[in-house]
Amino acid sequence: MSAYDPYRRKVLIIQSRFYPDISDEIFKGAKLVLERKNVNFNSISVPGSLEIPSALSFSIHTRYGGYIVLGCVIRGKTSHYDLVCQESIRGVMNLACKHKLALGIGIITAENKKQALDRASVKKGNKGGQAAETCLQMIKIKKP
């Protein structure tokens, strides 16, 4: 292994728990990738996707090498869906760019619960695993 080990520091997973069954599956996918690659990680939970940017902001000055944000927003009968989708993603992207964070985003946006579960499932969409892989790739690109 080279002198630079991109995984030498922990990764932080920030997980929205608004839909616990979906959240568990997204987390499972991310965890499997990190464990398979022997990456240490911590996780914290927030109530919903809108709280993810705040939690990320609180964690920026800690010693994490990368961040994975996980959540789910399902369309309802009001425009609230659009607001939550746009602002949660905008919030994490603004922080990632401003603070040069290695970030993997696994916030599922779906029309209904079945679609969300399919996208979260480790055996189908595996959005948590994809977010973890993205985070690890961004850590390598970032190098100190």
Side-chain angles (χ1 to χ4, degrees):
M1 186 174 289
S2 69
Y4 173 69
D5 180 1
Y7 308 137
R8 73 184 184 283
R9 294 189 289 171
K10 287 184 180 179
V11 167
L12 178 65
I13 300 173
I14 301 171
Q15 174 190 34
S16 163
R17 296 293 301 164
F18 195 80
Y19 297 102
D21 51 343
I22 297 168
S23 296
D24 289 345
E25 193 67 16
I26 303 169
F27 180 80
K28 181 179 172 185
K31 181 180 173 187
L32 287 170
V33 167
L34 296 177
E35 287 176 343
R36 187 176 69 239
K37 297 194 177 199
N38 295 314
V39 177
N40 293 321
F41 66 93
N42 289 335
S43 65
I44 59 173
S45 297
V46 296
S49 291
L50 277 178
E51 291 76 32
I52 291 173
S54 295
L56 180 58
S57 177
F58 303 155
S59 305
I60 285 173
H61 298 293
T62 58
R63 296 198 171 261
Y64 289 103
Y67 301 85
I68 301 168
V69 296
L70 305 174
C72 178
V73 185
I74 298 174
R75 186 179 300 280
K77 296 180 183 186
T78 68
S79 60
H80 185 70
Y81 168 86
D82 297 315
L83 174 76
V84 174
C85 293
Q86 290 171 5
E87 294 307 313
S88 59
I89 298 297
R90 183 189 333 266
V92 297
M93 288 307 300
N94 285 346
L95 290 165
C97 292
K98 180 178 180 181
H99 298 282
K100 300 176 178 92
L101 305 177
L103 177 69
I105 300 174
I107 300 176
I108 293 172
T109 57
E111 296 297 318
N112 54 57
K113 191 164 185 177
K114 182 190 180 319
Q115 186 182 63
L117 284 166
D118 285 348
R119 296 184 75 208
S121 171
V122 172
K123 295 178 181 176
K124 293 182 180 179
N126 197 10
K127 295 302 177 188
Q130 290 174 14
E133 291 285 358
T134 298
C135 176
L136 297 178
Q137 289 174 16
M138 295 305 289
I139 290 171
K140 286 182 180 179
I141 291 169
K142 181 179 175 182
K143 290 185 188 178

